Amino acid sequence: MGFFQDALVRFNRVVMSYAGDAVFMQAAVSAAANVIVADGDTDEEEIEAALVSMRANPILEKSYDTLALERALFEALARAELRAGRLENLQQVAAIADRPQEQRQHVFLIAADVADKGGITESEHKALDELAKALEVDKAALLG
């Protein structure tokens, strides 16, 4: 029975990755949004970098079209304008802390790609520190 259950769990994960992993998608857009607003300026280049990075992720690319990702990102950006919204976004990110390390690293790297547009500012480093803590990943190793 254990083998059957394990196979079923793995099958469900594969299906979920193709059917749309909303929790993962929300983590990705929330992480990107918190970095985009970190320096007080919502830059179009950072938004485009977030969308490009999300489309490069196999789970998001297979599950969501660009319009759906863009809509979710703009909702996360609207939340991020206020402290309470940034905290809510951080909670969305922390919701995947029990996921495999690869998924957590992907979300962090999406945010890092956003921060890297024009160089990572001190406020963006702070946002990345918060994300790394929430995702339980090694920021220094990933930014290497």
Side-chain angles (χ1 to χ4, degrees), residues 97-113:
D98 62 344
R99 299 279 184 101
Q101 182 178 10
E102 180 181 350
Q103 289 185 15
R104 293 179 283 129
Q105 288 175 339
H106 276 273
V107 168
F108 180 83
L109 291 172
I110 288 168
D113 283 347

Side-chain angles (χ1 to χ4, degrees), residues 32-133:
N34 277 12
V35 172
I36 290 169
V37 302
D39 59 6
D41 184 31
T42 303
D43 187 358
E44 192 65 38
E45 284 184 23
E46 290 177 332
I47 292 171
E48 186 58 33
L51 292 170
V52 168
S53 291
M54 286 186 278
R55 286 188 302 235
N57 178 275
I59 294 172
L60 296 175
E61 188 262 334
K62 287 181 181 13
S63 303
Y64 299 97
D65 63 19
T66 301
L67 184 60
L69 292 173
E70 191 173 272
R71 186 178 319 115
L73 178 59
F74 279 103
E75 288 171 4
L77 283 167
R79 284 192 303 268
E81 293 298 324
L82 302 171
R83 282 189 199 108
R86 289 189 298 275
L87 178 61
E88 184 179 339
N89 282 349
L90 202 53
Q91 290 168 342
Q92 296 277 358
V93 171
I96 67 162
D98 62 344
R99 299 279 184 101
Q101 182 178 10
E102 180 181 350
Q103 289 185 15
R104 293 179 283 129
Q105 288 175 339
H106 276 273
V107 168
F108 180 83
L109 291 172
I110 288 168
D113 283 347
V114 170
D116 206 26
K117 282 293 178 191
I120 303 175
T121 66
E122 186 177 327
S123 57
E124 289 170 333
H125 268 295
K126 184 179 175 191
L128 289 172
D129 287 338
E130 292 173 343
L131 294 171
K133 183 177 177 182

